[in-house]
Amino acid sequence: MSGKKTLSLILAVFLMTGILAACGGGNTAGNAENSAKTGNTPAQTSGKVEFWLDKLGDAEKAARLSEAWKKDSGIDVVFTNYPDVAAYQTSIQQTIDDPGAPGLFTWWSGPQLETLAKNGKLADLSAEWDNYIADGVSADVKEAFTVDGKVYAAPYSLRYTSLLYNVKVFEAAGVAVPTTFDEFLDACEKIKASGVTPIGLKNDSWASFIWFQQLIAAYDPQLYSDLCDGTKPYTDDAVKKVMAIWREMFDKGYFGEPIVYSDLHKEFATGVVAMMLEDSPTVTDLQSDYGMEPGTDIDAFVLPSMNGGKGTIFFEASPIVVTEASASKEQALAALRSFYKPATQTVMVNDHGIANISTISVDNQTIRHILDMTGDSAHYQLMLRFYENTPEDLRNTALDELSRFMYSGADIDDVLNAIQAKADKVFG
C-alpha cells in the first residue's frame, strides 16, 4: 500500500491497545442504563478500529480518551496522530480507497468534506444521527455535515469562540463586562488607560478572519451569511463601514502587536493584555500552563451587537467520519455511536475543554459559562465560522487580504476589491 511510505514519516504515533485491555468493562452498569435510556445500543461491542487525526498531540491525554472510549464501546480505538497537516491529508488521500484504511478519521467541514462525500469515500451517517442526538449532540450541528441531503460526519470537537478576559485586569481597570458595543469600546479605552493592551492578537495568517467575522456579525449577522454565500459583495457599503470601525480600533491602540499564540497566552496570563478572541479549549490551556483559575482569573463574554441584536457565537465543527472502503467500517460505526457517552465526553471536557453534548457535567466554570451562552437562544445565536463557511479559493484570498489589512495597514478599498474580484470568479 502506497501509504506505508508516508506512514514511516509520522512523528508521533500512539498505539494504546495494550493500555485498554485492562480497562474494559468498568462502566458496564452505567452503559447499560444509558443505552436503555437512549435506545443507543452499538451493533458491535468488540474488535478494533484505527482512528487517524491531526488534533491530539498529548500521548497521556490520548490514552485517557481511548481508555474511556473502550469502556463505553467495548472496541479498541487505536489512535494515530499526525502533527503535520500536509502529511496527514496526503496519507488519508493515499489510503482512503484501501480496505486497510482507518475506519475513523477527522477531517474538515465545508468544501473539503463535500469533496470526499460526493466521491463516495465516506459512509452515510444519516441513520446514526438519532443516536447522537439522543446522547446530547445538538441537532443544529448536523447541517454543517450535510451534503446533498445526507449526513456524512459527526462532531469530534465543537469549539466556540468568545472573548476571554483576564478578570483581575478588568477589576484593576474598573471595567465591568460590557453589554453593548459602546460599552465594549469604552472598556478598551479604560484598559488602555490603565497601561494594559486591551486585545491581544496572534500572528497566524490563517486567523485573520476571526475579528473580521466577529465584527461583521456584530453589525449584522445576515450580512455575514450573505457574504459567505455570495448574496452580497464584499464591496457593500455596510462591509466598508465595519472595516472602518475595525481600522479605528487599530488606530486607537486597542490591539497589540501580533505575536505567536504561545506568547499571547503568556501575555494574557500575566496581565500584559486583557482580552483574546479565542476558542473554548484555550481556557484549559491557560489553566494547565499558567494556573489560571476558571471563573476567578479568567472568564468569557460575547462581543455585543452594534445594533442591539443578539450576540453571535461562532463555532468550529471538526468532523469525525467513517471510511466507506475500510474493512473495519462496522467497528467504526459502533465506536462512533458510543463516542458521545458520558465517560468518553467527560475526558473530552476535562482534558481538552471540548463539550460535544449538552448533558455532560462540566466543572470548569468558564467553559460552563460559555456553554450556557451557547444554549441561551434568547440572547445569542450560533454561526459556523468563516473558515468552513466560505468556498476554499475565496477563503484563501480573503485570509491573505485581511492579513494585509491587519498586519500591514492595507487600504480598505484595495482589500475589499481584491476579495470581491475572487468572489466574482467563485460565485460567477
Side-chain angles (χ1 to χ4, degrees), residues 33-337:
E33 181 180 353
N34 196 54
S35 295
K37 180 179 178 181
T38 64
N40 179 2
T41 303
Q44 188 157 354
T45 56
S46 63
K48 183 174 72 175
V49 62
E50 288 190 44
F51 178 30
W52 290 9
L53 68 170
D54 68 326
K55 310 174 189 308
L56 201 61
D58 187 308
E60 292 184 1
K61 291 181 179 179
R64 284 195 290 272
L65 177 59
S66 189
E67 177 182 337
W69 203 347
K70 171 68 179 289
K71 288 181 180 179
D72 277 337
S73 68
I75 294 174
D76 289 325
V77 182
V78 182
F79 286 66
T80 299
N81 187 69
Y82 286 72
D84 183 271
V85 172
Y88 176 65
Q89 292 178 334
T90 299
S91 293
I92 290 293
Q93 290 163 357
Q94 288 178 330
T95 60
I96 197 166
D97 293 319
D98 194 293
L104 297 165
F105 66 94
T106 58
W107 203 239
W108 290 266
S109 53
Q112 289 174 278
L113 178 72
E114 182 177 330
T115 297
L116 293 186
K118 286 189 171 181
N119 284 286
K121 311 298 184 185
L122 307 178
D124 178 3
L125 302 182
S126 301
E128 297 287 326
W129 259 84
D130 285 347
N131 299 310
Y132 310 152
I133 292 171
D135 283 340
V137 178
S138 171
D140 294 339
V141 177
K142 186 165 61 172
E143 181 63 26
F145 303 140
T146 299
V147 178
D148 294 337
K150 296 181 180 179
V151 192
Y152 288 96
Y156 171 71
S157 62
L158 294 175
R159 298 166 179 257
Y160 302 102
T161 298
S162 62
L163 270 160
L164 304 181
Y165 70 97
N166 186 312
V167 174
K168 290 184 170 54
V169 168
F170 266 48
E171 291 174 348
V175 171
V177 172
T179 59
T180 68
F181 192 76
D182 286 342
E183 288 181 3
F184 170 72
L185 295 178
D186 185 57
C188 289
E189 196 62 40
K190 289 179 178 176
I191 291 167
K192 179 187 169 187
S194 75
V196 174
T197 301
I199 305 167
L201 291 177
K202 55 190 174 188
N203 62 1
D204 296 327
S205 59
W206 66 265
S208 59
F209 71 92
I210 294 176
W211 269 98
F212 173 75
Q213 67 179 13
Q214 197 71 58
L215 288 169
I216 290 288
Y219 181 81
D220 180 4
Q222 186 60 48
L223 176 62
Y224 168 75
S225 296
D226 290 345
L227 291 176
C228 289
D229 66 13
T231 301
K232 281 194 174 180
Y234 283 81
T235 50
D236 189 275
D237 286 344
V239 181
K240 293 181 179 180
K241 182 176 181 179
V242 174
M243 293 291 284
I245 293 170
W246 194 8
R247 172 58 52 79
E248 186 175 9
M249 292 173 65
F250 273 107
D251 292 343
K252 289 184 174 179
Y254 294 165
F255 291 103
E257 289 296 321
I259 54 179
V260 298
Y261 79 93
S262 55
D263 290 343
L264 176 58
H265 289 186
K266 182 178 181 180
E267 289 199 352
F268 178 85
T270 56
V272 176
V273 300
M275 295 178 277
M276 303 184 297
L277 194 53
E278 289 288 343
D279 62 16
S280 41
T282 303
V283 176
T284 56
D285 292 340
L286 292 165
Q287 184 180 20
S288 60
D289 294 346
Y290 297 101
M292 297 192 80
E293 187 63 30
T296 301
D297 299 321
I298 179 175
D299 212 334
F301 66 93
V302 175
L303 183 69
S305 166
M306 298 183 192
N307 301 299
K310 295 180 181 180
T312 299
I313 301 173
F314 284 96
F315 71 92
E316 174 190 1
S318 177
I320 181 171
V321 298
V322 174
T323 311
E324 178 66 23
S326 175
S328 59
K329 175 183 173 183
E330 292 305 316
Q331 291 87 346
L333 290 170
L336 187 54
R337 192 178 291 181

